[in-house]
mmCIF file of all heavy atoms in Angstrom:
data_model
loop_
_atom_site.group_PDB
_atom_site.id
_atom_site.type_symbol
_atom_site.label_atom_id
_atom_site.label_comp_id
_atom_site.label_asym_id
_atom_site.label_seq_id
_atom_site.Cartn_x
_atom_site.Cartn_y
_atom_site.Cartn_z
ATOM 1 N N ARG Y 121 -11.503 -3.142 6.925
ATOM 2 C CA ARG Y 121 -10.275 -3.507 6.210
ATOM 3 C C ARG Y 121 -9.404 -4.447 7.034
ATOM 4 O O ARG Y 121 -9.307 -4.317 8.235
ATOM 5 C CB ARG Y 121 -9.465 -2.236 5.890
ATOM 6 C CG ARG Y 121 -8.201 -2.500 5.066
ATOM 7 C CD ARG Y 121 -7.124 -1.506 5.352
ATOM 8 N NE ARG Y 121 -6.740 -1.537 6.753
ATOM 9 C CZ ARG Y 121 -5.890 -2.430 7.278
ATOM 10 N NH1 ARG Y 121 -5.305 -3.333 6.515
ATOM 11 N NH2 ARG Y 121 -5.612 -2.411 8.576
ATOM 12 N N ARG Y 122 -8.790 -5.385 6.353
ATOM 13 C CA ARG Y 122 -7.774 -6.249 6.956
ATOM 14 C C ARG Y 122 -6.663 -6.412 5.931
ATOM 15 O O ARG Y 122 -6.897 -6.221 4.740
ATOM 16 C CB ARG Y 122 -8.323 -7.661 7.260
ATOM 17 C CG ARG Y 122 -9.558 -7.689 8.126
ATOM 18 C CD ARG Y 122 -9.216 -7.517 9.602
ATOM 19 N NE ARG Y 122 -10.448 -7.488 10.363
ATOM 20 C CZ ARG Y 122 -11.064 -6.364 10.748
ATOM 21 N NH1 ARG Y 122 -10.532 -5.187 10.480
ATOM 22 N NH2 ARG Y 122 -12.190 -6.401 11.420
ATOM 23 N N SER Y 123 -5.508 -6.847 6.368
ATOM 24 C CA SER Y 123 -4.497 -7.261 5.399
ATOM 25 C C SER Y 123 -4.911 -8.621 4.868
ATOM 26 O O SER Y 123 -4.985 -9.594 5.620
ATOM 27 C CB SER Y 123 -3.123 -7.355 6.063
ATOM 28 O OG SER Y 123 -2.617 -6.058 6.289
ATOM 29 N N VAL Y 124 -5.212 -8.656 3.576
ATOM 30 C CA VAL Y 124 -5.649 -9.910 2.945
ATOM 31 C C VAL Y 124 -4.446 -10.519 2.237
ATOM 32 O O VAL Y 124 -3.770 -9.855 1.445
ATOM 33 C CB VAL Y 124 -6.800 -9.628 1.949
ATOM 34 C CG1 VAL Y 124 -7.167 -10.890 1.171
ATOM 35 C CG2 VAL Y 124 -8.021 -9.079 2.694
ATOM 36 N N ARG Y 125 -4.178 -11.778 2.555
ATOM 37 C CA ARG Y 125 -2.999 -12.433 1.964
ATOM 38 C C ARG Y 125 -3.352 -13.704 1.216
ATOM 39 O O ARG Y 125 -2.470 -14.407 0.733
ATOM 40 C CB ARG Y 125 -1.967 -12.731 3.060
ATOM 41 C CG ARG Y 125 -1.436 -11.485 3.763
ATOM 42 C CD ARG Y 125 -0.358 -11.815 4.773
ATOM 43 N NE ARG Y 125 0.176 -10.630 5.429
ATOM 44 C CZ ARG Y 125 -0.349 -10.052 6.506
ATOM 45 N NH1 ARG Y 125 -1.436 -10.559 7.064
ATOM 46 N NH2 ARG Y 125 0.201 -8.971 7.029
ATOM 47 N N ILE Y 181 9.763 -14.068 2.261
ATOM 48 C CA ILE Y 181 8.891 -13.630 3.362
ATOM 49 C C ILE Y 181 7.607 -12.996 2.823
ATOM 50 O O ILE Y 181 6.709 -12.690 3.603
ATOM 51 C CB ILE Y 181 9.611 -12.640 4.311
ATOM 52 C CG1 ILE Y 181 10.349 -11.573 3.516
ATOM 53 C CG2 ILE Y 181 10.517 -13.363 5.269
ATOM 54 C CD1 ILE Y 181 10.898 -10.468 4.384
ATOM 55 N N ILE Y 182 7.536 -12.810 1.527
ATOM 56 C CA ILE Y 182 6.278 -12.277 0.964
ATOM 57 C C ILE Y 182 5.762 -13.221 -0.136
ATOM 58 O O ILE Y 182 5.260 -12.786 -1.161
ATOM 59 C CB ILE Y 182 6.444 -10.834 0.437
ATOM 60 C CG1 ILE Y 182 7.582 -10.731 -0.584
ATOM 61 C CG2 ILE Y 182 6.669 -9.862 1.588
ATOM 62 C CD1 ILE Y 182 7.517 -9.448 -1.404
ATOM 63 N N PHE Y 184 3.223 -14.949 -0.475
ATOM 64 C CA PHE Y 184 1.795 -14.857 -0.838
ATOM 65 C C PHE Y 184 1.545 -13.904 -2.008
ATOM 66 O O PHE Y 184 0.532 -14.006 -2.693
ATOM 67 C CB PHE Y 184 0.957 -14.437 0.378
ATOM 68 C CG PHE Y 184 1.144 -13.005 0.789
ATOM 69 C CD1 PHE Y 184 0.298 -12.019 0.304
ATOM 70 C CD2 PHE Y 184 2.160 -12.631 1.654
ATOM 71 C CE1 PHE Y 184 0.465 -10.691 0.674
ATOM 72 C CE2 PHE Y 184 2.345 -11.315 2.021
ATOM 73 C CZ PHE Y 184 1.495 -10.342 1.528
ATOM 74 N N CYS Y 236 -3.057 -5.815 0.631
ATOM 75 C CA CYS Y 236 -2.023 -5.898 1.667
ATOM 76 C C CYS Y 236 -0.852 -5.024 1.249
ATOM 77 O O CYS Y 236 -0.318 -5.160 0.144
ATOM 78 C CB CYS Y 236 -1.553 -7.336 1.874
ATOM 79 S SG CYS Y 236 -0.444 -7.515 3.293
ATOM 80 N N TYR Y 237 -0.494 -4.084 2.110
ATOM 81 C CA TYR Y 237 0.703 -3.273 1.871
ATOM 82 C C TYR Y 237 1.917 -4.200 1.967
ATOM 83 O O TYR Y 237 1.966 -5.080 2.830
ATOM 84 C CB TYR Y 237 0.877 -2.222 2.967
ATOM 85 C CG TYR Y 237 -0.155 -1.139 3.051
ATOM 86 C CD1 TYR Y 237 -1.198 -1.220 3.970
ATOM 87 C CD2 TYR Y 237 -0.062 -0.009 2.248
ATOM 88 C CE1 TYR Y 237 -2.131 -0.196 4.083
ATOM 89 C CE2 TYR Y 237 -0.990 1.018 2.359
ATOM 90 C CZ TYR Y 237 -2.020 0.918 3.271
ATOM 91 O OH TYR Y 237 -2.934 1.921 3.387
ATOM 92 N N ILE Y 238 2.883 -3.959 1.131
ATOM 93 C CA ILE Y 238 4.127 -4.728 1.180
ATOM 94 C C ILE Y 238 5.290 -3.755 1.318
ATOM 95 O O ILE Y 238 5.528 -2.919 0.435
ATOM 96 C CB ILE Y 238 4.371 -5.533 -0.126
ATOM 97 C CG1 ILE Y 238 3.136 -6.348 -0.516
ATOM 98 C CG2 ILE Y 238 5.596 -6.428 0.004
ATOM 99 C CD1 ILE Y 238 2.810 -7.443 0.417
ATOM 100 N N GLY Y 239 5.974 -3.861 2.440
ATOM 101 C CA GLY Y 239 7.144 -3.012 2.649
ATOM 102 C C GLY Y 239 8.436 -3.795 2.592
ATOM 103 O O GLY Y 239 9.513 -3.228 2.495
ATOM 104 N N TRP Y 240 8.318 -5.136 2.634
ATOM 105 C CA TRP Y 240 9.506 -5.982 2.637
ATOM 106 C C TRP Y 240 9.885 -6.315 1.210
ATOM 107 O O TRP Y 240 9.432 -7.302 0.656
ATOM 108 C CB TRP Y 240 9.252 -7.269 3.424
ATOM 109 C CG TRP Y 240 9.225 -7.066 4.891
ATOM 110 C CD1 TRP Y 240 8.136 -6.809 5.657
ATOM 111 C CD2 TRP Y 240 10.347 -7.098 5.782
ATOM 112 N NE1 TRP Y 240 8.507 -6.672 6.962
ATOM 113 C CE2 TRP Y 240 9.857 -6.849 7.068
ATOM 114 C CE3 TRP Y 240 11.717 -7.321 5.616
ATOM 115 C CZ2 TRP Y 240 10.689 -6.801 8.180
ATOM 116 C CZ3 TRP Y 240 12.546 -7.276 6.716
ATOM 117 C CH2 TRP Y 240 12.029 -7.015 7.987
ATOM 118 N N PHE Y 241 10.668 -5.453 0.616
ATOM 119 C CA PHE Y 241 11.185 -5.784 -0.712
ATOM 120 C C PHE Y 241 12.527 -5.090 -0.883
ATOM 121 O O PHE Y 241 12.833 -4.119 -0.186
ATOM 122 C CB PHE Y 241 10.198 -5.383 -1.826
ATOM 123 C CG PHE Y 241 9.822 -3.923 -1.812
ATOM 124 C CD1 PHE Y 241 10.599 -2.994 -2.473
ATOM 125 C CD2 PHE Y 241 8.686 -3.489 -1.129
ATOM 126 C CE1 PHE Y 241 10.249 -1.648 -2.466
ATOM 127 C CE2 PHE Y 241 8.330 -2.145 -1.118
ATOM 128 C CZ PHE Y 241 9.124 -1.219 -1.783
ATOM 129 N N LEU Y 260 6.291 1.737 -1.724
ATOM 130 C CA LEU Y 260 5.360 0.749 -1.186
ATOM 131 C C LEU Y 260 4.797 -0.078 -2.326
ATOM 132 O O LEU Y 260 4.569 0.435 -3.423
ATOM 133 C CB LEU Y 260 4.211 1.533 -0.541
ATOM 134 C CG LEU Y 260 3.427 1.002 0.629
ATOM 135 C CD1 LEU Y 260 4.348 0.559 1.758
ATOM 136 C CD2 LEU Y 260 2.483 2.084 1.128
ATOM 137 N N ILE Y 279 -11.512 -12.094 7.960
ATOM 138 C CA ILE Y 279 -10.316 -12.032 8.817
ATOM 139 C C ILE Y 279 -10.619 -11.242 10.096
ATOM 140 O O ILE Y 279 -11.158 -10.130 10.036
ATOM 141 C CB ILE Y 279 -9.135 -11.383 8.050
ATOM 142 C CG1 ILE Y 279 -8.838 -12.188 6.778
ATOM 143 C CG2 ILE Y 279 -7.890 -11.278 8.927
ATOM 144 C CD1 ILE Y 279 -7.920 -11.472 5.798
ATOM 145 N N ALA Y 280 -10.254 -11.829 11.211
ATOM 146 C CA ALA Y 280 -10.467 -11.157 12.504
ATOM 147 C C ALA Y 280 -9.491 -9.975 12.620
ATOM 148 O O ALA Y 280 -8.391 -10.023 12.068
ATOM 149 C CB ALA Y 280 -10.216 -12.142 13.639
ATOM 150 N N PRO Y 281 -9.902 -8.938 13.337
ATOM 151 C CA PRO Y 281 -8.987 -7.788 13.482
ATOM 152 C C PRO Y 281 -7.756 -8.145 14.302
ATOM 153 O O PRO Y 281 -7.854 -8.932 15.239
ATOM 154 C CB PRO Y 281 -9.846 -6.752 14.225
ATOM 155 C CG PRO Y 281 -10.951 -7.517 14.865
ATOM 156 C CD PRO Y 281 -11.166 -8.754 14.039
ATOM 157 N N ARG Y 282 -6.611 -7.585 13.911
ATOM 158 C CA ARG Y 282 -5.420 -7.710 14.758
ATOM 159 C C ARG Y 282 -5.527 -6.669 15.866
ATOM 160 O O ARG Y 282 -6.191 -5.647 15.722
ATOM 161 C CB ARG Y 282 -4.152 -7.455 13.940
ATOM 162 C CG ARG Y 282 -3.917 -8.534 12.888
ATOM 163 C CD ARG Y 282 -2.461 -8.594 12.493
ATOM 164 N NE ARG Y 282 -1.636 -9.086 13.586
ATOM 165 C CZ ARG Y 282 -0.299 -9.129 13.555
ATOM 166 N NH1 ARG Y 282 0.336 -8.678 12.497
ATOM 167 N NH2 ARG Y 282 0.389 -9.588 14.564
ATOM 168 N N ARG Y 284 -4.865 -3.684 18.462
ATOM 169 C CA ARG Y 284 -4.305 -2.339 18.379
ATOM 170 C C ARG Y 284 -4.064 -1.830 19.794
ATOM 171 O O ARG Y 284 -4.780 -2.208 20.732
ATOM 172 C CB ARG Y 284 -5.269 -1.381 17.664
ATOM 173 C CG ARG Y 284 -5.478 -1.684 16.186
ATOM 174 C CD ARG Y 284 -4.225 -1.438 15.372
ATOM 175 N NE ARG Y 284 -4.484 -1.436 13.936
ATOM 176 C CZ ARG Y 284 -4.367 -2.495 13.139
ATOM 177 N NH1 ARG Y 284 -4.003 -3.666 13.644
ATOM 178 N NH2 ARG Y 284 -4.607 -2.390 11.845
HETATM 179 C C1 FMN L 676 4.051 0.179 5.402
HETATM 180 C C2 FMN L 676 3.549 -1.230 5.596
HETATM 181 C C3 FMN L 676 4.334 -2.289 5.160
HETATM 182 C C4 FMN L 676 3.869 -3.601 5.296
HETATM 183 N N1 FMN L 676 4.616 -4.621 4.793
HETATM 184 C C5 FMN L 676 4.144 -5.888 4.838
HETATM 185 C C6 FMN L 676 4.871 -6.959 4.216
HETATM 186 O O1 FMN L 676 5.928 -6.774 3.618
HETATM 187 N N2 FMN L 676 4.351 -8.209 4.284
HETATM 188 C C7 FMN L 676 3.151 -8.458 4.905
HETATM 189 O O2 FMN L 676 2.727 -9.617 4.907
HETATM 190 N N3 FMN L 676 2.424 -7.454 5.500
HETATM 191 C C8 FMN L 676 2.901 -6.189 5.468
HETATM 192 N N4 FMN L 676 2.171 -5.156 6.037
HETATM 193 C C9 FMN L 676 0.872 -5.440 6.682
HETATM 194 C C10 FMN L 676 0.963 -5.353 8.208
HETATM 195 O O3 FMN L 676 1.619 -6.500 8.683
HETATM 196 C C11 FMN L 676 -0.474 -5.244 8.756
HETATM 197 O O4 FMN L 676 -1.042 -4.046 8.303
HETATM 198 C C12 FMN L 676 -0.504 -5.265 10.287
HETATM 199 O O5 FMN L 676 -0.043 -6.510 10.752
HETATM 200 C C13 FMN L 676 -1.904 -5.026 10.835
HETATM 201 O O6 FMN L 676 -2.823 -5.966 10.329
HETATM 202 P P1 FMN L 676 -4.095 -5.507 9.498
HETATM 203 O O7 FMN L 676 -3.601 -4.769 8.280
HETATM 204 O O8 FMN L 676 -4.836 -6.762 9.098
HETATM 205 O O9 FMN L 676 -4.926 -4.626 10.359
HETATM 206 C C14 FMN L 676 2.610 -3.850 5.917
HETATM 207 C C15 FMN L 676 1.842 -2.758 6.362
HETATM 208 C C16 FMN L 676 2.293 -1.473 6.197
HETATM 209 C C17 FMN L 676 1.424 -0.331 6.659
#
Side-chain angles (χ1 to χ4, degrees):
R121 184 210 60 82
R122 305 280 177 263
S123 286
V124 174
R125 298 184 179 86
I181 46 172
I182 55 164
F184 71 93
C236 188
Y237 294 99
I238 310 293
W240 286 92
F241 57 87
L260 210 52
I279 302 167
R282 293 203 68 186
R284 293 293 193 267

